[in-house]
PDB file of all heavy atoms in Angstrom:
ATOM      1  N   ALA N  85     104.154 -77.058  64.643  1.00 98.00           N
ATOM      2  CA  ALA N  85     104.722 -78.288  64.082  1.00 98.00           C
ATOM      3  C   ALA N  85     105.949 -77.977  63.247  1.00 98.00           C
ATOM      4  O   ALA N  85     105.982 -77.000  62.491  1.00 98.00           O
ATOM      5  CB  ALA N  85     103.675 -78.987  63.210  1.00 98.00           C
ATOM      6  N   LYS N  86     106.978 -78.809  63.426  1.00 98.00           N
ATOM      7  CA  LYS N  86     108.112 -78.802  62.507  1.00 98.00           C
ATOM      8  C   LYS N  86     108.757 -80.165  62.573  1.00 98.00           C
ATOM      9  O   LYS N  86     108.321 -81.028  63.337  1.00 98.00           O
ATOM     10  CB  LYS N  86     109.090 -77.674  62.816  1.00 98.00           C
ATOM     11  CG  LYS N  86     109.758 -77.754  64.172  1.00 98.00           C
ATOM     12  CD  LYS N  86     110.659 -76.537  64.335  1.00 98.00           C
ATOM     13  CE  LYS N  86     111.230 -76.405  65.722  1.00 98.00           C
ATOM     14  NZ  LYS N  86     112.272 -77.349  66.085  1.00 98.00           N
ATOM     15  N   PHE N  88     111.294 -82.584  63.834  1.00 98.00           N
ATOM     16  CA  PHE N  88     110.101 -83.360  64.104  1.00 98.00           C
ATOM     17  C   PHE N  88     109.697 -83.100  65.542  1.00 98.00           C
ATOM     18  O   PHE N  88     110.167 -83.754  66.453  1.00 98.00           O
ATOM     19  CB  PHE N  88     110.378 -84.867  63.913  1.00 98.00           C
ATOM     20  CG  PHE N  88     110.505 -85.240  62.451  1.00 98.00           C
ATOM     21  CD1 PHE N  88     111.753 -85.298  61.856  1.00 98.00           C
ATOM     22  CD2 PHE N  88     109.378 -85.495  61.686  1.00 98.00           C
ATOM     23  CE1 PHE N  88     111.867 -85.622  60.510  1.00 98.00           C
ATOM     24  CE2 PHE N  88     109.495 -85.830  60.335  1.00 98.00           C
ATOM     25  CZ  PHE N  88     110.748 -85.890  59.742  1.00 98.00           C
ATOM     26  N   LEU N  90     106.286 -81.268  68.086  1.00 98.00           N
ATOM     27  CA  LEU N  90     105.059 -80.496  68.300  1.00 98.00           C
ATOM     28  C   LEU N  90     105.281 -79.682  69.562  1.00 98.00           C
ATOM     29  O   LEU N  90     105.576 -80.238  70.618  1.00 98.00           O
ATOM     30  CB  LEU N  90     103.847 -81.409  68.503  1.00 98.00           C
ATOM     31  CG  LEU N  90     103.316 -82.201  67.317  1.00 98.00           C
ATOM     32  CD1 LEU N  90     102.086 -82.995  67.743  1.00 98.00           C
ATOM     33  CD2 LEU N  90     102.974 -81.303  66.136  1.00 98.00           C
ATOM     34  N   ASP N 112     107.702 -79.825  55.611  1.00 98.00           N
ATOM     35  CA  ASP N 112     106.870 -80.913  55.092  1.00 98.00           C
ATOM     36  C   ASP N 112     105.427 -80.729  55.582  1.00 98.00           C
ATOM     37  O   ASP N 112     105.194 -80.039  56.561  1.00 98.00           O
ATOM     38  CB  ASP N 112     107.391 -82.271  55.616  1.00 98.00           C
ATOM     39  CG  ASP N 112     108.831 -82.534  55.189  1.00 98.00           C
ATOM     40  OD1 ASP N 112     109.230 -82.058  54.108  1.00 98.00           O
ATOM     41  OD2 ASP N 112     109.556 -83.190  55.963  1.00 98.00           O
ATOM     42  N   PRO N 113     104.484 -81.379  54.910  1.00 98.00           N
ATOM     43  CA  PRO N 113     103.109 -81.357  55.421  1.00 98.00           C
ATOM     44  C   PRO N 113     103.006 -82.106  56.749  1.00 98.00           C
ATOM     45  O   PRO N 113     103.760 -83.065  56.992  1.00 98.00           O
ATOM     46  CB  PRO N 113     102.323 -82.109  54.334  1.00 98.00           C
ATOM     47  CG  PRO N 113     103.190 -82.122  53.128  1.00 98.00           C
ATOM     48  CD  PRO N 113     104.602 -82.109  53.636  1.00 98.00           C
ATOM     49  N   HIS N 114     102.087 -81.649  57.599  1.00 98.00           N
ATOM     50  CA  HIS N 114     101.815 -82.327  58.870  1.00 98.00           C
ATOM     51  C   HIS N 114     100.318 -82.265  59.163  1.00 98.00           C
ATOM     52  O   HIS N 114      99.620 -81.380  58.665  1.00 98.00           O
ATOM     53  CB  HIS N 114     102.585 -81.678  60.022  1.00 98.00           C
ATOM     54  CG  HIS N 114     104.075 -81.757  59.866  1.00 98.00           C
ATOM     55  ND1 HIS N 114     104.767 -82.945  59.926  1.00 98.00           N
ATOM     56  CD2 HIS N 114     104.992 -80.797  59.586  1.00 98.00           C
ATOM     57  CE1 HIS N 114     106.049 -82.714  59.725  1.00 98.00           C
ATOM     58  NE2 HIS N 114     106.222 -81.422  59.513  1.00 98.00           N
ATOM     59  N   ASP N 115      99.853 -83.201  59.988  1.00 98.00           N
ATOM     60  CA  ASP N 115      98.467 -83.135  60.456  1.00 98.00           C
ATOM     61  C   ASP N 115      98.467 -83.219  61.975  1.00 98.00           C
ATOM     62  O   ASP N 115      99.532 -83.228  62.607  1.00 98.00           O
ATOM     63  CB  ASP N 115      97.590 -84.205  59.796  1.00 98.00           C
ATOM     64  CG  ASP N 115      97.902 -85.612  60.280  1.00 98.00           C
ATOM     65  OD1 ASP N 115      98.744 -85.778  61.203  1.00 98.00           O
ATOM     66  OD2 ASP N 115      97.307 -86.560  59.744  1.00 98.00           O
ATOM     67  N   CYS N 153     101.157 -86.159  65.296  1.00 98.00           N
ATOM     68  CA  CYS N 153     101.027 -86.096  63.842  1.00 98.00           C
ATOM     69  C   CYS N 153     100.913 -87.533  63.355  1.00 98.00           C
ATOM     70  O   CYS N 153     101.685 -88.398  63.766  1.00 98.00           O
ATOM     71  CB  CYS N 153     102.250 -85.413  63.223  1.00 98.00           C
ATOM     72  SG  CYS N 153     102.243 -85.458  61.406  1.00 98.00           S
ATOM     73  N   SER N 154      99.920 -87.795  62.504  1.00 98.00           N
ATOM     74  CA  SER N 154      99.663 -89.178  62.091  1.00 98.00           C
ATOM     75  C   SER N 154     100.365 -89.546  60.785  1.00 98.00           C
ATOM     76  O   SER N 154     100.211 -90.662  60.301  1.00 98.00           O
ATOM     77  CB  SER N 154      98.161 -89.411  61.942  1.00 98.00           C
ATOM     78  OG  SER N 154      97.682 -88.796  60.761  1.00 98.00           O
ATOM     79  N   LEU N 155     101.112 -88.631  60.210  1.00 98.00           N
ATOM     80  CA  LEU N 155     101.753 -88.923  58.926  1.00 98.00           C
ATOM     81  C   LEU N 155     103.018 -89.766  59.124  1.00 98.00           C
ATOM     82  O   LEU N 155     103.809 -89.501  60.031  1.00 98.00           O
ATOM     83  CB  LEU N 155     102.116 -87.632  58.198  1.00 98.00           C
ATOM     84  CG  LEU N 155     100.942 -86.701  57.865  1.00 98.00           C
ATOM     85  CD1 LEU N 155     101.417 -85.547  57.002  1.00 98.00           C
ATOM     86  CD2 LEU N 155      99.818 -87.449  57.181  1.00 98.00           C
ATOM     87  N   HIS N 158     106.112 -89.795  61.814  1.00 98.00           N
ATOM     88  CA  HIS N 158     106.396 -88.507  62.462  1.00 98.00           C
ATOM     89  C   HIS N 158     106.234 -88.544  63.982  1.00 98.00           C
ATOM     90  O   HIS N 158     107.027 -87.937  64.697  1.00 98.00           O
ATOM     91  CB  HIS N 158     105.503 -87.414  61.873  1.00 98.00           C
ATOM     92  CG  HIS N 158     105.821 -87.087  60.444  1.00 98.00           C
ATOM     93  ND1 HIS N 158     105.262 -86.038  59.770  1.00 98.00           N
ATOM     94  CD2 HIS N 158     106.652 -87.703  59.572  1.00 98.00           C
ATOM     95  CE1 HIS N 158     105.729 -86.006  58.532  1.00 98.00           C
ATOM     96  NE2 HIS N 158     106.564 -87.010  58.379  1.00 98.00           N
ATOM     97  N   ALA N 159     105.202 -89.238  64.468  1.00 98.00           N
ATOM     98  CA  ALA N 159     105.006 -89.293  65.924  1.00 98.00           C
ATOM     99  C   ALA N 159     106.192 -89.982  66.592  1.00 98.00           C
ATOM    100  O   ALA N 159     106.706 -89.503  67.606  1.00 98.00           O
ATOM    101  CB  ALA N 159     103.705 -90.014  66.252  1.00 98.00           C
ATOM    102  N   MET N 163     107.001 -86.041  66.917  1.00 98.00           N
ATOM    103  CA  MET N 163     105.852 -85.144  66.740  1.00 98.00           C
ATOM    104  C   MET N 163     104.676 -85.630  67.592  1.00 98.00           C
ATOM    105  O   MET N 163     103.678 -86.141  67.083  1.00 98.00           O
ATOM    106  CB  MET N 163     105.467 -85.026  65.261  1.00 98.00           C
ATOM    107  CG  MET N 163     106.590 -84.419  64.435  1.00 98.00           C
ATOM    108  SD  MET N 163     106.049 -83.887  62.802  1.00 98.00           S
ATOM    109  CE  MET N 163     105.075 -82.441  63.221  1.00 98.00           C
TER     110      MET N 163
HETATM  111 CU1   CU H 205     104.105 -84.720  60.677  1.00 66.32          CU
END
Side-chain angles (χ1 to χ4, degrees):
K86 63 182 172 73
F88 286 95
L90 290 182
D112 300 329
H114 297 293
D115 71 5
C153 174
S154 75
L155 300 187
H158 292 188
M163 297 194 72

